[in-house]
Amino acid sequence: MTYNLKMKYNVNMKKSLKFIILSIILLLQSCSHPVGSAMWHKKAPSADITNYYKEMCLGFGYKTETPELIQCIQTEIGNGMDRADAQVSQMIKSLQNIDRPRNKVKTNCTTWGDDITCTSTY
């Protein structure tokens, strides 16, 4: 009986921890939107996004008012959005893995005089 109570307590603690972490992340996301984040891409004015990536492309050596600069800006905006989406997906995956059971190691040790031999299995 004690084991079942302990197991239920662990599951509830993990769910509570997951909720707390998610709440903190959402709170921090609502306070500010770091440049390049998924929320920044969604909430920032398109002029700000374009100017940010324009400066980046100019830093790469592209010349102003050229088709290559425009192509660079479009490419970097797409890459930035992909990176931001990947970060959000990774965060969600990490939160989902909190509840997953971990592999347990079973170790058997035998003694013979002063020698101890141990073997572990997963």
Side-chain angles (χ1 to χ4, degrees):
M1 232 8 151
T2 305
Y3 177 73
N4 287 339
L5 290 175
K6 191 184 265 188
M7 192 169 181
K8 286 180 185 177
Y9 178 75
N10 267 346
V11 170
N12 288 337
M13 285 297 293
K14 286 181 180 181
K15 286 182 181 179
S16 296
L17 181 62
K18 184 189 241 185
F19 177 75
I20 291 168
I21 290 171
L22 186 59
S23 298
I24 291 170
I25 290 170
L26 291 175
L27 179 65
L28 291 174
Q29 287 267 331
S30 67
C31 294
S32 66
H33 308 296
V35 173
S37 69
M39 289 305 291
W40 179 78
H41 277 280
K42 289 179 184 176
K43 301 265 183 178
S46 59
D48 290 352
I49 294 170
T50 301
N51 287 335
Y52 174 78
Y53 287 107
K54 180 179 181 180
E55 290 301 316
M56 182 184 290
C57 290
L58 289 171
F60 293 156
Y62 289 94
K63 304 294 181 205
T64 37
E65 307 302 323
T66 62
E68 292 82 14
L69 176 66
I70 294 168
Q71 181 61 48
C72 176
I73 293 169
Q74 291 173 343
T75 301
E76 289 304 317
I77 288 173
N79 291 343
M81 291 172 73
D82 290 345
R83 280 190 299 273
D85 289 342
Q87 287 175 344
V88 170
S89 296
Q90 182 60 40
M91 178 189 66
I92 290 169
K93 185 177 177 183
S94 296
L95 288 173
Q96 289 171 339
N97 286 336
I98 288 176
D99 288 342
R100 294 232 168 100
R102 306 291 186 257
N103 290 336
K104 294 187 179 184
V105 177
K106 181 178 180 181
T107 303
N108 294 318
C109 296
T110 55
T111 59
W112 183 261
D114 291 338
D115 294 333
I116 297 176
T117 305
C118 294
T119 56
S120 297
T121 55
Y122 294 93

